[in-house]
Amino acid sequence: MAYPVYRVDQVRSLDEQTIAAGTSASSLMTEAGRAAYQCLRRYWPKVTAVCVLCGPGNNGGDGYVLARLAAEGGLSCTVVVLAPQKATEGAAVDARKAALTAGVVEQALPESLDSQADTEQTVFVDAMFGAGFRGQLHEQFAIAADWLSKRRSRVLALDIPSGLNADTGVASSNTVQAAVTITFIGYKLGLLTGAGPEYCGQLEYAALTVPDAIRGAVQAPVQSLGFPDVMQLRPRRTPSFHKGRAGKVLIIGGAPGMGGATIMAAEAASRVGAGTVNLFTSPEHVTSALVRCPTVMVSGVEHPVLSEQFADSEGAALLESMHKASGALVLGPGLGQGAWGQSWVYWLKAANTRPLVLDADALNIIASLPNPEQYFHSVNAAGLVITPHPGEAARLLHVSVAEIQNDRYEAVKQLVKLSGALVILKGAGTLVGWLDAGGRLRLEVCLAGNPGMASGGMGDVLSGVLGGLLAQGLSYVDAGRLGCCLHSEAADRLTQTEGQVGLLATDLPPMIRYLLHVKES
């Protein structure tokens, strides 16, 4: 089920409003600490000792609640104090007093870390800084974070790993690497994209007792996106169905020496259900394409039309072939950035009126134009989807890759503004953004996907999937959301049994086909 993803200031507002409505800060802190303790026992059932590293604020208070519960549960429990609670009263101060009364032992840096019992039955808890932290960890906090990260398989982070920016997913140089992170009240933007998934490990969630009326009044800027959320969008077939109703897709790409990408895209479009898949590619790839995908109709094109006006007979013939071959277009896989690829980009601007997917070198060529925005808005597509990775996004926006990754949410906003398209920004925590019918920006973060997808051709398969869904009549928004989830979910299913290393893009299409027929629960 989809859930809202909040900015830090919004989560803080939910917390403050809940307290103002009558729930005490101590009650919320106790609830958070209890949820964290229960999480610890689920993931490490054989634990005998707990070491909690506590900072000066409410995150440290959550840590003291967990420490008290651990001590009351019969575990050996130590709190490493990185900064004392400065207030003389308050929820965190009360939590510390209760923990000490329960027998929790406090120690201070630096000698305390080396003296900790460090066995497989010891779990370490990061309660140094919560979601409000910004910047770099310094001095003893940096030392403690590095020490924790070396024991990552036994680290539980409370709310967010210390050092991670909870709004952007940018990690400081000493960010704690956790095996499990339990976050409270609401999912934060930075947990789900950028470096967030790498540092969080397994992500757990405790909603706490925030009243529905308060939660409903705060509009989250992002929604989660998972395969169960889009299963109902899958194309359906009636008993009288025929291939003409399944649509046509034309895939254009495969410059000389770059045939593999477009062949993978064609196979993916076929496996996702397109009735007819046509491929325009360099003549040298025709044979290999037919050997790999004999169901695809392949045309070798030696010299695409170089004139934007299509005055010659070759241009007219190509234009007629395109109209006959496509209900949707995919341009970019293996396109190259030379004259062959550039010609297709110019040709498309004047010729296309169909749903369109732009990927890879199509985006790089557009980025090199004097006015990419003008090009995007002059393409007369009946629904446009673009699928940049961070490098392509950086070129389109004329910024560095680091700037894209430093705020992926903002990057998607700018790409939607630039292109008017549904944008799929690939990477850890793939983001999907578009403008709804009222002109409002919609953003979603895909929950599926894994590092095994870091291999050549994955984006080409995604482009083929999107083209195949568009050919079957899905709107560009539905095709983008469903295609993104099918692609990532297929990779997750495959790696569950076969591992991540060695996953190939060509492994995905059969699993994608399987997912199209999984029954809804």
Side-chain angles (χ1 to χ4, degrees):
M1 180 178 178
Y3 52 74
V5 186
Y6 298 99
R7 299 189 310 269
V8 171
D9 66 299
Q10 292 178 310
V11 175
R12 186 179 296 115
S13 176
L14 289 171
D15 180 77
E16 292 171 351
Q17 290 183 61
T18 299
I19 293 171
T23 300
S24 70
S26 292
S27 176
L28 281 175
M29 185 170 289
T30 298
E31 192 178 354
R34 181 176 293 110
Y37 176 65
Q38 292 169 348
C39 177
L40 184 151
R41 297 307 297 258
R42 285 197 307 274
Y43 278 90
W44 295 278
K46 297 181 180 180
V47 61
T48 60
V50 176
C51 173
V52 186
L53 281 70
C54 285
N58 287 338
N59 195 249
D62 297 338
Y64 274 108
V65 172
L66 184 150
R68 173 178 63 80
L69 294 171
E72 292 173 351
L75 303 180
S76 173
C77 189
T78 301
V79 167
V80 174
V81 182
L82 287 107
Q85 291 291 335
K86 296 178 180 179
T88 57
E89 59 183 16
V93 173
D94 292 342
R96 174 179 177 269
K97 292 176 181 177
L100 297 179
T101 300
V104 172
V105 176
E106 286 186 328
Q107 294 183 354
L109 284 177
E111 66 278 358
S112 58
L113 293 181
D114 292 332
S115 67
Q116 292 300 320
D118 194 0
T119 69
E120 289 302 314
Q121 285 72 47
T122 304
V123 174
F124 303 94
V125 179
D126 169 21
M128 293 189 291
F129 290 106
F133 177 82
R134 296 292 184 272
Q136 295 286 330
L137 296 173
H138 295 294
E139 299 175 346
Q140 60 182 352
F141 294 102
I143 294 170
D146 289 340
W147 187 88
L148 282 173
S149 294
K150 293 175 182 177
R151 293 151 179 82
R152 177 174 190 170
S153 65
R154 291 173 284 131
V155 173
L156 170 66
L158 304 191
D159 205 27
I160 194 163
S162 294
L164 185 70
N165 186 308
D167 275 338
T168 65
V170 173
S172 67
S173 56
N174 300 103
T175 298
V176 171
Q177 294 186 347
V180 182
T181 297
I182 180 167
T183 197
F184 308 120
I185 298 182
Y187 286 91
K188 288 82 177 173
L189 298 173
L191 296 172
L192 301 174
T193 197
E198 177 178 348
Y199 286 88
C200 288
Q202 185 66 37
L203 185 60
E204 296 287 334
Y205 172 57
L208 308 187
T209 53
V210 177
D212 291 341
I214 292 175
R215 194 178 291 277
V218 177
Q219 184 64 46
V222 178
Q223 294 289 317
S224 69
L225 176 64
F227 180 57
D229 305 319
V230 293
M231 291 178 72
Q232 76 281 1
L233 300 177
R234 294 175 296 179
R236 308 291 184 181
R237 298 193 172 187
T238 63
S240 62
F241 206 81
H242 55 82
K243 72 174 184 180
R245 291 175 61 187
K248 298 178 180 181
V249 59
L250 170 59
I251 298 172
I252 302 173
M258 303 173 67
T262 196
I263 295 170
M264 286 186 285
E267 181 178 7
S270 298
R271 287 294 188 181
V272 84
T276 304
V277 179
N278 293 269
L279 174 59
F280 284 5
T281 189
S282 177
E284 68 186 73
H285 304 313
V286 171
T287 300
S288 56
L290 290 173
V291 169
R292 175 75 187 190
C293 306
T295 59
V296 174
M297 300 175 67
V298 186
S299 299
V301 182
E302 185 74 45
H303 299 293
V305 182
L306 297 177
S307 169
E308 294 188 52
Q309 302 304 315
F310 305 104
D312 54 29
S313 60
E314 183 182 2
L318 261 179
L319 189 59
E320 182 179 358
S321 296
M322 185 275 286
H323 284 307
K324 290 180 178 179
S326 65
L329 280 168
V330 176
L331 178 66
L335 189 68
Q337 297 183 50
W340 197 88
Q342 291 178 31
S343 298
W344 286 115
V345 172
Y346 298 142
W347 172 82
L348 184 71
K349 178 180 177 181
N352 181 52
T353 59
R354 283 138 174 77
L356 172 64
V357 179
L358 293 174
D359 183 29
D361 278 333
L363 297 177
N364 289 326
I365 292 170
I366 294 168
S368 69
L369 298 175
N371 192 335
E373 183 175 10
Q374 183 182 57
Y375 178 91
F376 280 123
H377 290 279
S378 67
V379 172
N380 188 29
L384 177 61
V385 180
I386 67 172
T387 62
H389 59 51
E392 292 154 355
R395 286 186 279 277
L396 284 168
L397 295 176
H398 300 293
V399 298
S400 67
V401 173
E403 288 175 278
I404 297 293
Q405 294 296 80
N406 282 346
D407 196 338
R408 286 169 55 83
Y409 295 100
E410 181 60 28
V412 171
K413 293 177 186 178
Q414 294 303 316
L415 288 166
V416 170
K417 179 180 178 181
L418 175 77
S419 66
L422 179 135
V423 176
I424 299 175
L425 178 59
K426 296 176 288 194
T430 292
L431 300 177
V432 181
W434 72 97
L435 297 175
D436 65 16
R440 295 178 296 270
L441 179 69
R442 299 286 299 278
L443 286 174
E444 294 181 332
V445 55
C446 183
L447 303 179
N450 64 78
M453 300 174 75
S455 64
M458 287 291 175
D460 305 312
V461 169
L462 174 60
S463 292
V465 167
L466 295 168
L469 294 174
L470 287 168
Q472 294 174 78
L474 273 71
S475 72
Y476 76 107
V477 172
D478 288 349
R481 298 174 69 235
L482 175 59
C484 180
C485 288
L486 281 171
H487 183 252
S488 297
E489 182 72 14
D492 284 352
R493 300 271 182 123
L494 289 167
T495 56
Q496 285 172 7
T497 56
E498 301 176 20
Q500 296 178 358
V501 177
L503 179 67
L504 300 180
T506 50
D507 296 332
L508 265 63
M511 178 58 74
I512 290 171
R513 178 177 180 245
Y514 167 77
L515 290 174
L516 288 169
H517 302 282
V518 172
K519 292 184 178 180
E520 297 183 41
S521 57

